[in-house]
Amino acid sequence: MSAEVLRLAGAPEHESTKAMAAVLDSPGMAYLSHVSAASWWGLPGFALVSPLHTVIPWQGVTERSRLTVVHYHRDLPVEHLTSLRGVPVTSPALTLFLLAGTEHRGRVERAIDNAWSMRLVTYGQLHELLGHLAQRGRNGIRVMRSLLEARDRSFVPPESGLEARVSRLAQDVGVVLRRQVNVGGEGWIGRVDFQVERSNRIVEVLSDRYHGSPLDRIRDEVRFRELVEAGFELLIIWEHEIWSDSEAVRERIHAFSRGVMEPEVFISAPERGETPSFWRGDLDPEVDISAPE
């Protein structure tokens, strides 16, 4: 594999082999880091591809490795140097800070949300590490500070790429959406996908897979009726609209948030590529919720 790392002839090469070889080929006490550590922790969007990345404490001189990109850092927090499946690796929290110094802000933001939703990091861990690393003027501190300021202790990370996409479209038009909010009138009705901040306006995102059957439509209609009767307004967005016509979705979210668009009440699931079927106006208890002929 290299002059420093040997592999038994005929032995299969696994992901763990690649990861450990990168660590062993690095000078000194090295740990898998950056995008390689993100992949090793299972964060979506990162792959264990060559060249791998490792980090070691600054030694005054630098040495090259054939198998990895070696990063040197002063005063690495030892409590965030760990191992996973037998491979030395930076902790999820430290990995995020290292990514902030090398990767695009949007990619770092998604990595934070994924790590948070996977319970790899906590609010306390990230803010404690921010205070520690900010004193040393590391790259990426400004990015991490701004991203963490937008995520308080009550922050609920998006559960899917779809939720993250909707949040981004709303941000593009200056609308702040709270995710996964428990709502109800006199009693609890359920948890909704989004609520426009400081308003009674609800945004629900429906996928063809989980909301396309007749039974799904009936369940959704019952829940939506309960929400409207409790005083909430609804905007329904279909998954394929988000990816195929994002500009129109932005405009609908913006108009809905300002109260210049009539609320929408779900009736039936549209076929892919067709205009969704909605009934607008006050709820009519006699409205037909069956799929159109």
Side-chain angles (χ1 to χ4, degrees), residues 251-289:
E251 293 176 358
R252 290 169 63 195
I253 292 175
H254 185 240
F256 180 67
S257 69
R258 296 173 58 198
V260 297
M261 175 182 178
E262 291 186 33
E264 301 171 336
V265 179
F266 169 77
I267 293 181
S268 59
E271 296 297 329
R272 183 175 297 276
E274 293 183 356
T275 302
S277 175
F278 293 112
W279 178 78
R280 299 174 182 272
D282 295 332
L283 277 174
D284 180 353
E286 300 301 324
V287 66
D288 181 9
I289 65 172

Side-chain angles (χ1 to χ4, degrees), residues 110-187:
R110 186 63 182 141
I112 291 174
D113 290 346
N114 281 327
W116 203 315
S117 65
M118 294 167 66
R119 299 186 179 182
L120 293 175
V121 297
T122 65
Y123 174 92
Q125 287 175 343
L126 293 175
H127 281 267
E128 180 181 357
L129 192 54
L130 175 63
H132 175 80
L133 298 180
Q135 299 174 9
R136 290 155 178 78
R138 295 179 184 272
N139 292 337
I141 291 300
R142 182 177 298 179
V143 171
M144 286 297 292
R145 179 178 283 112
S146 66
L147 291 175
L148 293 181
E149 285 176 351
R151 291 158 171 77
D152 59 18
R153 289 186 180 276
S154 63
F155 170 71
V156 179
E159 295 184 347
S160 68
L162 187 62
E163 283 190 6
R165 175 66 171 167
V166 173
S167 294
R168 175 61 61 187
L169 294 177
Q171 290 175 20
D172 290 345
V173 291
V175 178
V176 177
L177 296 178
R178 296 172 55 209
R179 288 190 293 268
Q180 299 299 317
V181 181
N182 290 304
V183 298
E186 296 181 357

Side-chain angles (χ1 to χ4, degrees), residues 226-276:
E226 290 178 345
L227 287 169
V228 174
E229 289 170 356
F232 294 97
E233 297 182 6
L234 295 175
L235 172 64
I236 312 300
I237 303 174
W238 282 91
E239 177 181 12
H240 60 261
E241 295 180 288
I242 294 167
W243 303 112
S244 65
D245 198 357
S246 57
E247 184 58 37
V249 171
R250 285 192 190 95
E251 293 176 358
R252 290 169 63 195
I253 292 175
H254 185 240
F256 180 67
S257 69
R258 296 173 58 198
V260 297
M261 175 182 178
E262 291 186 33
E264 301 171 336
V265 179
F266 169 77
I267 293 181
S268 59
E271 296 297 329
R272 183 175 297 276
E274 293 183 356
T275 302

Side-chain angles (χ1 to χ4, degrees), residues 97-108:
F97 278 87
L98 295 177
L99 289 175
T102 59
E103 301 301 306
H104 185 274
R105 177 189 174 96
R107 195 179 194 197
V108 177

